Amino acid sequence: MSVIKEWEPKILVFTCNWCTYTGADLAGLNRMKYPENVRLVRVPCSSRVNPQFILRAFMKGCDGVLVCGCHPGDCHYVSGNYFTRRRFMLMQRLLEYNGVDPARFQARWISGSEAAKFRDTMIRVSKEIKALGPNTKFREDWYVKEAIANEPSK
Amino acid sequence: MSRIGVFVCHCGSNIASGVHIDKVVEAAKLFPNVVYCEDNKYTCSEPGQFKIKAAIVEHRLDRVVVCTCSPRMHESTFRKMLKGTTINPYMLEVANLREQCSWVHTDKDKATDKAISLVRMAAAKVNENTSLFPSKIKVTKRALVIGGGIAGMQTALDIADAGHQVTLVEREPSIGGKMVMLDKTFPTMDCSACISTPKMVECSSHPNITIMTSSEVEKVDGYIGNFQAIIRQKARYVDHSLCKGCSDCMDACPVQARNNFDLGLGKRKAVYTLFPQAVPNKAVIEKKGASPCKFNCPAHLDAHGYMALTGVGRYEEALGVVRRTTPFAGVLGRVCFHPCEENCSRNKIDQPLAIATVKRFLADNARKSGKLGKIAVTAEPKDQKIAIIGSGPAGLNCAYMLALEGYKVTVFEALPKPGGMLKVGIPDYRLDKAVLAEEIKLIEDMGVEIKCNTRIGKDISFKALRGKGYKAFFIAIGAHTDSKLNVPGEDALGVVAGVDFLRESNLGNNPKPGKRVIVVGGGNVAMDAARTALRLGSDVTVLYRRSEAEMPANALEIDHAREEGVKFEFLAAPMEIISENGKLSGVKSIRNRLGEPDAKGRRSPVPIPGSEFILGVDTLIKAIGQKVVQEDLTAAGFTLYDRWGNIAANAETKTELADVFAGGDAQTGPATVIEAIAAGNKAAKAIMNYLEGTELPIEPYLMPEATVEADELKNVPRAARGRMPMIPIQDRRSTFKEAELGFDEKTAVAEALRCVNCAVCSECRACETACQSKAILREQEDELITQDFGAIVVTTGYELIDWAPLYGEYGGGRYPDVITGLQFERLVNASGPTEGHILRPSDQTEPKNVVIIKCVGSRDENKGKAYCSRACCMYGAKHAHQVLDKIPDSRCYVFYMDVRTAGKGYEEFYGRTREDGAMYLRGRVAKIYQEGGKLICKGEDSLLGKAVTVEADMVVLETAMVPSPGVVKLAGILGISTDPDKWLNEAHPKLRPVETNSAGIFLAGTCQGPKDIPDTVAQAGAAAAKVSALFSNDELETNPMISKVIDEKCSGCGLCVGCCPYTAISLQEIEERVGALRVKRLVASVNHALCQGCGACAGACRPGAIDLQGFSNRQLLEEVDALCL
Amino acid sequence: MSQVNEMQAQLRKVAAELLENDTVGYIIGWGATRFPDRTTPVFIHEAKDADKLMWNEYCVNGLAKYVLDDKIKAKKIGICIRGCDSRAINRLIIDNQIKRENVYLIGLPCEGKADKIKCGKCAHKNPVIHDVLIGDLVAETPVTDRFKAVEDQEKLTSDEKHAYWKGVYDKCIRCFACRNVCPVCSCKECFADQYRVGWQGKQNNSTENWNYGLTRSYHVGDRCVECGECERVCPMDLPLMLQNRKMLKDINELFGDYECGLSEEDRAPILGDYDLSDRDEFM
Amino acid sequence: MLLDKKRLKEALAILSRDAKVLVPMEVDGVAKFTPWDGQKLPSLDMINTTLPPKDALFPQTEKMYNFTTGPNAQIAEVQGTEKQVLFGVRSCDARSIDCMDKAFLTGTFGDSFYSKKRENLTIIAVGCVKTGPFCFCDSMGLDPSSAPNADVQLADLGDAYAVTAQTERGTAVLDQWKSLLTEGEGDAPKPKCVLQVSVPEDFPKKLMGMFEHPIWDEVSKPCLGCGTCTYVCPTCYCFDINAEKHGHEGTEFRCWDSCMFSDYARMAGGHNPRPSKKERVRNRYLHKLAYFHEQHGQLLCVGCGRCVQKCPSNMDITRFIDMAGEAMNNG
């Protein structure tokens, strides 16, 4: 029996250990439901996320990336998310300028108590990415099995 | 190749019911480098852990993935478990299959796919893990507590009681802080001092506590467990090891200074203890520097000192202060050009103090009462003989100083009388020569021999004097010859030199000037000559080439000359002296205009062509400058002159001959009496250094100038300068009687009391005399003390907002009876300025109607601060209660925004206050103005919606708390942060309220934000507990999941330094090989004790040269890659 | 003699003096090539060679980066700088790559060179820092179209933008000339050379090139001194400043007027700093 | 034989039937050899393409093996070589293929990836009628109007090309074109390069003797260490082998490397025998002008002038040759 699986996006969510990851755990404790296609990568602080991680994810075929951290003023490490804010405000614009649909890369502040916000955000982002379809623009075809033949001559 | 073991947990059915565990296990077995995979019912249980340990051994695993609940739950459990195995605890990753998979998804197949993906990510990450090892840092078990208020005292006591050393640093001279200023504490109405002074005493007597008052933290280096602080012990000018706290010095001190402890409501002395129960109970002297009068005096006479003593009627002591510098009080009081007065701070608000005239009063008063006395020489007599050439003010003062030290001094004077220019230059109507003679006699009485009619070069020579055993010489022959006009006909009969003319007159030789006298020049000699000629019956005109504004003579001298009838021709210069038969007949002059300013800023005269005019004249007196007579010295074998013809000597009065010194006009060219005195004093010290082989300072001890800004004087009552009485004008025109009569006692005292005490301490040194322990250290300097600490607690407290500039509508500080809550505390305090009676500051009457206004500066974003100051509602109620309690028939109105009484017993207290009769009106007071001794408060009762006017006798403003001044600087020193209102930031508002973001630095009390005493004390205890916990170990283990720099990749750009909230990163120089060369360059370096592992630096570093261990770039990129599969 | 020739003569005289009196160890400037319309960086060590220094409209190359080649800096390095080079030097000082006292800056006010693309949006023709000035300061002309091209680009649709940049990065050969000439690119080891870490694959294709180009513009974006050297050196003539100026434009809009390298003590680079009042879009 | 220029498209169409025909064209501002689109005439008037034709034989990135890891590990050589025709190649680029042939195909080890492509390549050269400002091929011993190693040589006669087959494969091309060709011949212009470099006798050998000469310090200083000269060079053939993994699957590939990159010679452990640009520039010039000559008897520089034109610092190999010659003359 072969079932044609519906296409599911791959969504990467960077979460800081102290707020959003905790919020996600709380969503679990409350048995809140959200799509399976989001995967969390835990980092100590959203400021740990190097914007190049996001580029890497897109190249490797990720369909959407989200960076989440504590609300401004609540950073466990005092000021980390202020750096996050600047980095990703600029990176997001740069990506958009380069043709990345803004929905594919987003940032959100979700605290440890905002389980519902976490769930709602995951549901909404997942829906948005699904509507956009697979990331083809920035995926490196290299990694796609079918495109194993040599690159066309330059 | 690594060997990864994957352990999948069912968590009972928690995971197993949502995820196909078997599929996960099968998939995981195929992941790169996974050599073993198994599932467990409960991995976290003891059997589960045992199975992992067994698998590690059996399959030679070197890293582990546990697929279970959230790592926030059990990551540390598994790390601990690994401690007992061959694997480093950090070779572990946890895949969160419960909270973030089985519990949140409904489709079991999809959840399984996700679970596989999560495990793959964890396996990919763990493959890049490295073994990490915590490092140890040593802990210095001594705490530094900054701020000696109730928070600081409590913290210090709690830490000390736990057995650790504490240094308690307080900026003020006593610990105690704000709490001891309060009268009662709400809601229990305990006496504040009664509960806080025992804490102070306990601190001072605790063996583990070192109190450093009058001290501030200057610099802090290091990190948790290992801070190094530099503490500035400010000069207190009292040796606290000797001070007994007896208050003799305070009794002796003549200065009335603002009592800051009473918030300006009372006075205290310049030497003081902060309050009677101060700890330590030792006196300190408040010195802001040298008062401008002293600072700007060439001889640095202690003008402030004798003014202060005069003000309290201690004239003899005051005269003694003058005589520390010179015996010429009477002379200087008459003739000094008093730069002290020019620089008096009162110039900024009204008129300067008549310092010179007060000095004259001191001398005249002593003469009149026969108390001029003798000046005692207490020093041991010394054998060395010193010769002084010239008995002017420089020579005589030098003789005086040397005599005071016991030297044998002979003064040689060419003229028949001693005194130099004082005698032969200054006319009698300015200086009664009897005064001069008496003051010279003071010197002679000290054993100084003055030989008149003995001219150097003629009667004596250096050689001969050396032969007679003189060991040192001071040349102070003055400048007694005139400068030439350099115009044709200058040699005519009837052209005389000003100095010669005055000398003749002063020696009683009665010169006879002609009817028409012209004096050329604009200096004091010109004025003296003009006024002398006037008194000799001549018609006198002064010819000056610039305008009056440029005249070098004293303005007062010019005024007096003009009053007496001297005429002036400004902007005119002689061109030619016209003679008839060799006899002077006229002077041809030319008009000038003022040109561009010269190098000194004085506008030079430019002749106007064709403006020549001729004045008829019988006697022309040249007074355009004096020069040194060189002939006599040359004859005596001394030939060292500078290019102006003055004797060449350096700033220390030394000439090129080791035993010859020179000073006064002879060295500087014509100058003033006080400058000559300064030179004489310097020479005396230089000679002593020469004779004794010492290198003591030549100049008197002098602190930097204490300047007072006009703004600081705005509340000083205005008072006119004492008027100088003079003899009738007709006597001034015709006789040589002293024109100025001097002050009487009443005027002198009133004048002295106008002093605003710029430097606070007047340096009268009465305390030195009074102190039997000899504890006064007049020249003490700040001391820097370096000490190591393991922890720091900041307890710098608060200050009240400076409301005056913000609330012009409340009078902006102009109404004395509008006071702050803290001032009210002092008024109502039994040890306060009114001994506990509530009296209006303006007239010391009891107010019947008192208005209390809350939220002044608080909750008022437009004027003050947005925040609530928390304590004011309660102490506002307390003040209302105290007014109603202490003043019979009084009424008290409280204007409020809200009443906040969150605290045990607080609401009840507020209720009682209302029952007492306090009238609470909701609304702000819009305006206060004074009308007939009442303060009219206009406001609104917003509950009734109508305007309210209250006629108050006194208004109490419950003003906002703001952080203690200097806290921003301190935060910078400590590397901790402040919020926009400058309150210090705690590490976490809920969970880490007494910690800062810098490990090892803690907070307590109001430095963190407004709070009341119970909260402050609770925080103090909390901070102490944190410190004690830190000190309970000899070493600290640091978190190894911190940043690490890869030197080869680091370019030292410093981007990471600014990203670190813990100042854990610094740039350090390293040396490395480049080809054959060794090159030094900067790279970032992480302090492992300070780094908290946030990774902000790693997220910023462009080349990835700084990386976060445990969340490294490789690890995260692998995790990302695995996610995308 | 024309203004330019006068300056060249003065430059040679000053250079000779600096070398003669040992103020500097050598001087970096522009010298002749075989082609009249091209110059090349020259390194003058002796006063007698000072006449090899050129100053004309073909002195296009940025020179600042050469200062980094000298690891020892036994003596001061003399370097000819125009406005753009001076900002580059400041940048290197701010980034701790050189010390001010190790360079002697020979300022040359510049009216723009033959490369109109590089010099077209120049807002600082005069050196903003120098030790000696050759010639007179020239009038600065305000730049009104600093972000014009970026604005035009922003108006495109997402697909158009992607198509545009894909075309650009299809052409890139990853020769790294843009990076190597850039005074802002002072990393010891560029992320793009760290194949083993995974920032960048070594394979050349438009996605990898895009990754390189986008990352580079992000890395330099908050510190770019707008010298235009990257664009000048690109053998494929790619519009690199169009990428770099995007971030500068955003910084200007988000964080206030921003130009880099105008003094030795610039404000902290935008990404190394923060402000509580920064706009928050991530609620 | 003559090929009327009007029939060029037909000629290309014939070639396109069983091969990918690469022609010089400016695409998006970059002149390079690009697959003929069947429509546009190739830009045979341009002197030289920006990028050389070496990509046809030696792509910038070339997949070599696909592999899988894990329990069922496999490895497979990447297949898929097609016939290619390089049309409109200049003498310099034709010579560069000769150089690469020597590098890749001689000696004990033949590069199979290169040789497969080479076997399937037909070179149709066209003689230059004029030279560009950076051309100096005749100084390097080439004739701008003749490429001896091409399969077919075209000579531009104005309206037509004189067509000469130089190899068997060339004869086959002429066969294919039979219907288009007419009898005849003519003299094409014989241009000389404007840029003349005097290469002293025994230059390679003498240059090798100058390894420690101060000249390297001087010439290397302007170098930025970028890869432009090597990437636009038709004869630079250095490559680096890397693998990209994606889970269990992966690809091994090679891609151009540049000896001018600072990390080019760096070994595992960080030691770099060519730590500064002096060593790197020396290595490149010596390789072009001496080492290769020593091994293969010819210079590795074909005088195309691309590096001279494109160097961001305007470094100039011709100037170096002159300077080195001068230094040799001065002993």
Side-chain angles (χ1 to χ4, degrees), chain B residues 844-956:
Chain B
Q844 303 296 311
T845 60
E846 198 168 59
K848 290 293 178 193
N849 280 357
V850 176
V851 165
I852 292 173
I853 306 174
K854 299 203 300 184
C855 295
V856 176
S858 308
R859 305 180 68 200
D860 191 352
E861 211 165 350
N862 295 327
K863 288 182 178 291
K865 303 292 177 183
Y867 54 78
C868 163
S869 290
R870 280 188 64 191
C872 341
C873 279
M874 288 308 297
Y875 70 69
K878 178 182 73 179
H879 295 160
H881 168 79
Q882 286 175 310
V883 166
L884 296 168
D885 187 42
K886 290 210 169 190
I887 307 172
D889 315 322
S890 60
R891 278 183 300 274
C892 186
Y893 303 86
V894 183
F895 283 90
Y896 71 100
M897 304 267 290
D898 290 294
V899 179
R900 296 177 172 180
T901 59
K904 203 160 121 183
Y906 289 11
E907 179 65 18
E908 295 87 330
F909 182 85
Y910 163 57
R912 282 201 299 280
T913 305
R914 298 193 68 175
E915 283 163 23
D916 291 343
M919 278 163 278
Y920 272 70
L921 299 166
R922 189 176 194 278
R924 275 196 195 279
V925 170
K927 189 159 181 56
I928 301 174
Y929 56 92
Q930 233 170 357
E931 201 174 88
K934 295 278 186 188
L935 291 160
I936 314 297
C937 303
K938 286 196 169 285
E940 193 200 9
D941 185 332
S942 63
L943 293 180
L944 298 177
K946 63 175 192 186
V948 185
T949 303
V950 181
E951 288 188 9
D953 299 311
M954 186 162 90
V955 177
V956 181

Side-chain angles (χ1 to χ4, degrees), chain D residues 96-128:
Chain D
S96 77
I97 294 172
D98 186 40
C99 292
M100 287 206 294
D101 286 349
K102 290 196 165 70
F104 280 115
L105 301 178
T106 59
T108 52
F109 176 78
D111 185 294
S112 66
F113 298 97
Y114 181 87
S115 79
K116 253 182 268 169
K117 290 194 180 67
R118 184 66 180 93
E119 281 159 19
N120 284 307
L121 180 72
T122 305
I123 304 169
I124 301 175
V126 59
C128 295

Side-chain angles (χ1 to χ4, degrees), chain B residues 955-972:
Chain B
V955 177
V956 181
L957 306 177
E958 310 296 20
T959 46
M961 290 191 201
V962 292
S964 188
V967 77
V968 174
K969 187 174 156 222
L970 180 66

Side-chain angles (χ1 to χ4, degrees), chain C residues 32 34-35 38-41 43 45 61 66 69 171 173-177 180 189 202-204 232-233 235, chain D residues 28 30 60-61 221-222 224-228 231 240 253 261 277 308-310 312-314 316 318-319 322:
Chain C
R34 270 180 197 279
F35 309 96
R38 296 176 152 221
T39 64
T40 186
F43 302 76
H45 288 260
N61 297 37
Y66 291 108
D69 287 339
K171 286 191 266 181
I173 55 171
R174 289 238 302 282
C175 64
F176 298 122
N180 289 12
E189 191 178 341
K202 196 155 185 178
Q203 61 274 31
N204 184 295
R232 176 186 72 78
V233 301
Chain D
D28 225 359
V30 179
Q60 181 158 13
T61 304
K221 271 185 184 146
L224 291 169
C226 74
T228 304
Y231 285 1
D240 184 23
F253 63 94
F261 290 159
K277 53 192 180 188
V308 181
Q309 182 181 7
K310 283 294 178 185
S313 301
N314 295 334
D316 182 346
T318 68
R319 203 155 160 245
D322 283 350

Side-chain angles (χ1 to χ4, degrees), chain C residues 236-252:
Chain C
M236 299 293 113
D237 297 326
L238 304 183
L240 302 180
M241 285 306 290
L242 187 62
Q243 189 78 283
N244 292 349
R245 281 213 173 86
K246 165 63 179 166
M247 192 143 137
L248 283 171
K249 174 174 178 283
D250 289 338
I251 290 171
N252 266 270

Side-chain angles (χ1 to χ4, degrees), chain B residues 390-595:
Chain B
S391 70
L396 287 179
N397 231 79
C398 180
Y400 171 72
M401 281 298 177
L402 289 168
L404 272 179
E405 295 294 328
Y407 292 95
K408 292 198 175 72
V409 186
T410 310
V411 181
F412 299 96
E413 171 57 52
L415 295 174
K417 298 277 181 182
M421 275 295 183
L422 294 177
K423 172 66 188 166
V424 301
I426 298 174
D428 290 355
Y429 63 86
R430 278 178 61 204
L431 171 61
D432 183 344
K433 297 298 156 59
V435 172
L436 174 66
E438 282 172 31
E439 288 177 345
I440 292 175
K441 185 154 184 303
L442 286 172
I443 301 171
E444 287 177 306
D445 287 349
M446 292 163 75
V448 172
E449 190 184 356
I450 301 176
K451 291 191 173 172
C452 291
N453 294 315
T454 310
R455 186 171 286 274
I456 183 83
K458 184 166 148 253
D459 304 316
I460 46 170
S461 72
F462 290 106
K463 199 178 165 196
L465 290 172
R466 283 189 190 106
K468 284 186 183 170
Y470 285 94
K471 296 295 178 202
F473 303 89
F474 178 50
I475 305 175
I477 58 168
H480 284 258
T481 185
D482 65 315
S483 297
K484 300 278 172 276
L485 286 172
N486 290 324
V487 295
E490 195 172 344
D491 298 330
L493 202 60
V495 177
V496 296
V499 278
D500 294 342
F501 174 69
L502 288 170
R503 189 189 310 118
E504 288 308 298
S505 170
N506 279 320
L507 288 174
N509 298 339
N510 293 322
K512 299 266 184 294
K515 185 66 201 150
R516 295 170 300 168
V517 171
I518 283 181
V519 178
V520 180
N524 284 326
V525 172
M527 292 306 103
D528 287 345
R531 292 173 69 191
T532 299
L534 186 99
R535 281 166 172 76
L536 292 171
S538 303
D539 181 17
V540 184
T541 302
V542 172
L543 204 62
Y544 180 54
R545 58 196 186 130
R546 293 185 172 90
S547 74
E548 186 172 350
E550 284 80 30
M551 273 179 79
N554 263 354
L556 196 67
E557 291 293 311
I558 302 167
D559 287 349
H560 284 173
R562 191 178 275 129
E563 277 169 29
E564 289 161 10
V566 173
K567 293 190 279 291
F568 289 87
E569 279 286 353
F570 294 113
L571 290 166
M575 292 175 75
E576 191 185 341
I577 309 292
I578 303 165
S579 313
E580 280 170 21
N581 309 325
K583 171 89 175 65
L584 176 70
S585 67
V587 56
K588 184 178 173 191
S589 304
I590 187 162
R591 296 277 174 207
N592 288 328
R593 64 179 173 79
L594 288 178

Side-chain angles (χ1 to χ4, degrees), chain A residues 5-6 8 10-15 17-22 24-53 56-58 60-62 73-80 83 87 118 130, chain B residues 14 70-72 75 93-94 96 98-107 110-111 113-114 117-118 121 125 977 985 987-989 992 997 1058-1062 1092-1102 1107-1108 1111-1113 1116-1121 1123-1125:
Chain A
K5 277 195 192 167
E6 192 190 349
E8 288 292 345
K10 293 190 186 94
I11 300 169
L12 162 62
V13 185
F14 284 107
T15 57
N17 182 49
W18 308 97
C19 281
T20 315
Y21 197 87
T22 314
D25 278 356
L26 185 62
L29 281 164
N30 294 339
R31 308 298 197 274
M32 292 172 168
K33 304 299 176 198
Y34 56 87
E36 297 83 356
N37 49 33
V38 295
R39 271 124 227 222
L40 271 59
V41 169
R42 185 169 67 118
V43 285
C45 175
S46 56
S47 64
R48 170 64 191 96
V49 182
N50 189 320
Q52 288 165 255
F53 295 160
R56 176 76 173 189
F58 285 137
K60 287 274 183 172
C62 198
D74 288 349
C75 179
H76 178 82
Y77 300 103
V78 198
S79 54
F83 292 104
R87 284 176 199 161
F118 176 80
K130 221 164 170 175
Chain B
N14 275 307
S70 172
R72 294 178 55 81
E75 192 174 56
E93 289 300 326
V94 175
N96 186 344
R98 194 177 74 175
E99 283 85 345
Q100 295 183 9
C101 194
S102 69
W103 278 355
V104 289
H105 303 313
T106 42
D107 183 325
K110 283 186 178 176
D113 283 350
K114 175 171 173 179
S117 184
L118 292 176
M121 286 158 68
K125 187 182 177 194
S977 58
N985 276 337
H988 191 282
R992 298 169 72 195
N997 290 312
C1059 291
C1060 181
Y1062 308 103
Q1092 303 285 306
C1094 68
C1097 51
C1101 183
R1102 294 177 286 269
D1107 207 349
L1108 181 61
F1111 291 96
S1112 68
N1113 291 325
L1116 293 172
L1117 284 166
E1118 281 297 315
E1119 219 177 338
V1120 168
D1121 282 5
L1123 182 144
C1124 294
L1125 283 173

